[in-house]
Amino acid sequence: DAGVIQSPRHEVTEMGQEVTLRCKPISGHNSLFWYRQTMMRGLELLIYFNNNVPIDDSGMPEDRFSAKMPNASFSTLKIQPSEPRDSAVYFCASSFQGNQPQHFGDGTRLSIL
Amino acid sequence: KQEVTQIPAALSVPEGENLVLNCSFTDSAIYNLQWFRQDPGKGLTSLLLIQSSQREQTSGRLNASLDKSSGRSTLYIAASQPGDSATYLCAVSVDSSYKLIFGSGTRLLVRP
């Protein structure tokens, strides 16, 4: 079975550029999560979707960050404009229901120069 | 505010040794607790989930225990192998919802 698929795996870009991260959840899962992992702050939940609807975006750090889920099989996390402090590994996870075990993708390692 | 702490931050043991990883949380009113494994450059893989009403869960060489009253959980790995080398994270769910609060992890190295 295909797991959660994220792209790209690595992204290096210059400060000020727009960055778009993509995620394909596991088929049949109705909950999708975006996390950010850094050495300083560990794993932080950015946003949670249920049935394609954003339920909790309290973890989104600033207005520069936005996330969409146009359908059950695709989500994007966009940063515009990007800043060096956004450098981190961004994970997408999905679950059958919101409180069921979450399955993680391999992440996108983002470096903003 | 719930906080999750994992000690030690790193651990190195020889192959074959039994070991214990520790996780503590500040608020005992949890819904469940999970242990995850993270390999370098990879996402998290769920190892064990313990509901708040349970005391322990076992999977192969792994055994996780939960003591809610003291705010502690341990992950016991028997007969460790080099393939067990990874970062182990615990996470608590404070209610029946989706929100997980993660510890910072213990980086384990099992030496051949």
Side-chain angles (χ1 to χ4, degrees):
Chain A
D1 287 343
V4 175
I5 299 172
Q6 292 186 246
S7 65
R9 290 298 316 279
H10 303 274
E11 174 89 11
V12 181
T13 192
E14 292 187 346
M15 176 176 146
Q17 297 296 307
E18 178 179 292
V19 173
T20 299
L21 311 181
R22 296 173 176 79
C23 174
K24 177 179 169 55
I26 293 173
S27 177
H29 284 188
N30 70 359
S31 296
L32 184 138
F33 309 81
W34 282 101
Y35 290 91
R36 178 172 66 178
Q37 186 177 42
T38 61
M39 289 292 292
M40 290 295 294
R41 300 172 68 91
L43 260 171
E44 301 173 287
L45 177 66
L46 299 177
I47 188 168
Y48 160 57
F49 290 88
N50 184 262
N51 290 324
N52 312 338
V53 176
I55 303 300
D56 181 357
D57 65 356
S58 59
M60 296 286 265
E62 302 170 34
D63 290 346
R64 298 185 295 107
F65 286 69
S66 62
K68 294 182 180 180
M69 192 164 186
N71 57 62
S73 59
F74 184 67
S75 176
T76 60
L77 177 67
K78 187 172 293 187
I79 309 173
Q80 166 64 19
S82 57
E83 296 183 3
R85 59 194 169 113
D86 302 330
S87 298
V89 181
Y90 290 81
F91 288 103
C92 176
S94 70
S95 66
F96 180 64
Q97 297 285 350
N99 60 359
Q100 295 298 305
Q102 297 176 22
H103 299 257
F104 283 73
D106 286 340
T108 295
R109 184 172 295 276
L110 177 64
S111 296
I112 307 297
L113 306 177
Chain B
K1 179 187 172 187
Q2 179 73 269
E3 293 183 1
V4 180
T5 304
Q6 292 186 247
I7 295 173
L11 182 63
S12 178
V13 301
E15 181 177 2
E17 190 164 298
N18 302 325
L19 61 99
V20 174
L21 306 180
N22 297 295
C23 173
S24 61
F25 44 95
T26 54
D27 188 342
S28 62
I30 64 170
Y31 184 71
N32 61 42
L33 183 145
Q34 292 186 65
W35 282 94
F36 292 86
R37 169 184 173 138
Q38 185 176 22
D39 292 287
K42 297 290 187 180
L44 280 67
T45 301
S46 182
L47 298 173
L48 291 164
L49 184 152
I50 312 177
Q51 300 291 351
S52 62
S53 59
Q54 298 174 318
R55 297 285 291 184
E56 65 178 342
Q57 282 285 336
T58 298
S59 176
R61 294 182 294 109
L62 305 180
N63 176 277
S65 68
L66 174 64
D67 184 343
K68 268 182 46 177
S69 60
S70 67
R72 294 178 188 276
S73 175
T74 62
L75 179 66
Y76 174 82
I77 303 178
S80 59
Q81 303 170 358
D84 295 330
S85 298
T87 297
Y88 291 81
L89 297 99
C90 71
V92 300
S93 174
V94 296
D95 52 33
S96 60
S97 75
Y98 53 90
K99 189 163 283 188
L100 296 177
I101 299 171
F102 286 86
S104 55
T106 294
R107 191 170 65 254
L108 173 66
L109 174 66
V110 181
R111 308 185 304 270

